Amino acid sequence: MRIITWNINSLRIRLPHLQRICGQLNPDVVCLQETKVPNDSFPEREIQQIGFPHLHFTGMKSYNGVAILSKIPLSASHTKNWCGKNDCRHISAELPSGTELHNFYVPAGGDTPDPNTNEKFKHKLDFLGEMKEWFATIEPAQRILVGDLNIAPLETDVWSHKQLLNVVSHTQVEVETLDDVMQSHNWIDAVRKFVPKDECLFSWWSYRNRAWPGSNRGRRLDHIWVTQDLAANLKATQIFMEARGWQKPSDHVPVVIDIEE
DNA sequence: ATGGTGGAAGGTCCA
């Protein structure tokens, strides 16, 4: 089974890219973040024409929004509110095997990495804390977690470790908090299972750096994790960089995993 | 120190 996660940054304007990506990669399941579309405007017909009859989504006006598109029927999906906000950052469904698939859009965290002065950064850390707590308390199961986690944990997940140490997405407190979430549930970083830790790996390049891909100032903000018991089922991974070079791209590119299901 | 770009909106807010 091939699963893709992609922060699409507006589903409605990026439908042609979605179609092109699915034509080239032929995924079974696509998990999207930042769909930026309310449920009553979700382009169901267009996506079904791309080849996904089974749609699960939760969206709101202007911001956030997550969706799971599938070629195969999934269980009924669930959404959950985080940090007391109804802001459409999580949706989950079960694959036919019973494996749970969780799609997350973690808050970006604003500009200043200080929870005392920056409410958005506090929200980000609180959100991660709630993830850790929740996964520690629910029933054990085979799980896949994907999404835009808005954190680049390894030194090789950013273009310059030193220059980004005080930049939101790569600060020590974020990396430690994310590690804490991972360890609390025995999550495995599925992509890094295939790519050595000393090799740079990015999934996002800022719109504000027009020199891409020459300067390659990227970060790996998009992740695929699996529970320990699924690690042996992982077959391959891919980061679909070429999509960043297309006309009117998202600032994120799809991250792909092939897993025996 | 600032601004650089893009999306949703039709103000600015958010990334």
Side-chain angles (χ1 to χ4, degrees):
Chain A
M1 172 171 297
R2 173 164 284 187
I3 299 172
I4 286 185
T5 179
W6 184 31
N7 179 320
I8 193 170
N9 188 17
S10 174
L11 173 56
R12 284 176 290 185
I13 68 154
R14 218 80 64 196
L15 275 170
H17 282 205
L18 180 67
Q19 176 155 34
R20 188 169 167 191
I21 283 163
C22 292
Q24 289 189 233
L25 296 175
N26 194 29
D28 301 288
V29 179
V30 178
C31 297
L32 300 174
Q33 304 86 37
E34 284 207 89
T35 54
K36 294 185 174 177
V37 59
N39 288 341
D40 58 11
S41 304
F42 195 91
E44 295 192 55
R45 191 176 47 82
E46 291 88 339
I47 291 176
Q48 281 163 350
Q49 280 171 356
I50 293 174
F52 300 97
H54 309 285
L55 307 179
H56 305 269
F57 48 84
T58 176
M60 57 192 278
K61 195 173 162 185
S62 300
Y63 305 117
N64 313 328
V66 287
I68 300 175
L69 327 176
S70 181
K71 288 187 176 163
I72 50 175
L74 307 179
S75 73
S77 59
H78 299 280
T79 63
K80 178 174 159 28
N81 285 346
W82 299 82
C83 302
K85 297 173 193 284
N86 187 11
D87 60 355
C88 306
R89 293 180 180 274
H90 174 237
I91 189 166
S92 66
E94 265 180 40
L95 303 175
S97 64
T99 297
E100 289 179 17
L101 176 62
H102 293 267
N103 179 11
F104 278 95
Y105 177 50
V106 172
D111 291 328
T112 311
D114 178 355
N116 297 311
T117 61
N118 175 5
E119 184 57 40
K120 291 179 194 170
F121 196 73
K122 181 178 185 301
H123 181 208
K124 184 176 197 174
L125 296 181
D126 288 348
F127 191 102
L128 292 164
E130 232 178 271
M131 282 174 72
K132 172 189 171 179
E133 238 175 81
W134 188 66
F135 280 117
T137 52
I138 58 177
E139 288 289 307
Q142 295 192 326
R143 296 194 168 95
I144 301 171
L145 183 157
V146 310
D148 178 2
L149 306 185
N150 267 314
I151 296 174
L154 303 180
E155 294 190 12
T156 50
D157 289 337
V158 293
W159 62 275
S160 168
H161 170 62
K162 277 187 182 170
Q163 285 176 257
L164 290 176
L165 264 174
N166 200 35
V167 173
V168 171
S169 73
H170 193 59
T171 63
Q172 191 180 348
V173 62
E174 288 169 271
V175 171
E176 284 175 357
T177 306
L178 190 69
D179 282 345
D180 211 24
V181 178
M182 280 195 93
Q183 283 163 24
S184 70
H185 201 63
N186 285 322
W187 290 111
I188 304 284
D189 183 335
V191 175
R192 279 293 179 189
K193 193 175 185 305
F194 296 97
V195 183
K197 287 194 161 122
D198 59 359
E199 198 171 305
C200 281
L201 203 54
F202 310 142
S203 65
W204 174 88
W205 295 262
S206 173
Y207 284 126
R208 302 179 192 183
N209 182 359
R210 308 192 77 178
W212 193 92
S215 64
N216 200 25
R217 293 189 171 188
R219 306 177 202 169
R220 186 170 70 113
L221 305 179
D222 305 277
H223 298 272
I224 299 179
W225 296 350
V226 301
T227 46
Q228 195 107 39
D229 43 13
L230 284 176
N233 296 31
L234 293 166
K235 295 303 171 198
T237 189
Q238 186 181 349
I239 296 193
F240 196 61
M241 274 184 60
E242 72 164 80
R244 187 63 180 81
W246 295 350
Q247 285 294 313
K248 298 283 282 180
S250 168
D251 44 354
H252 297 251
V253 300
V255 179
V256 186
I257 204 81
D258 294 328
I259 185 165
E260 210 167 86
E261 260 294 303

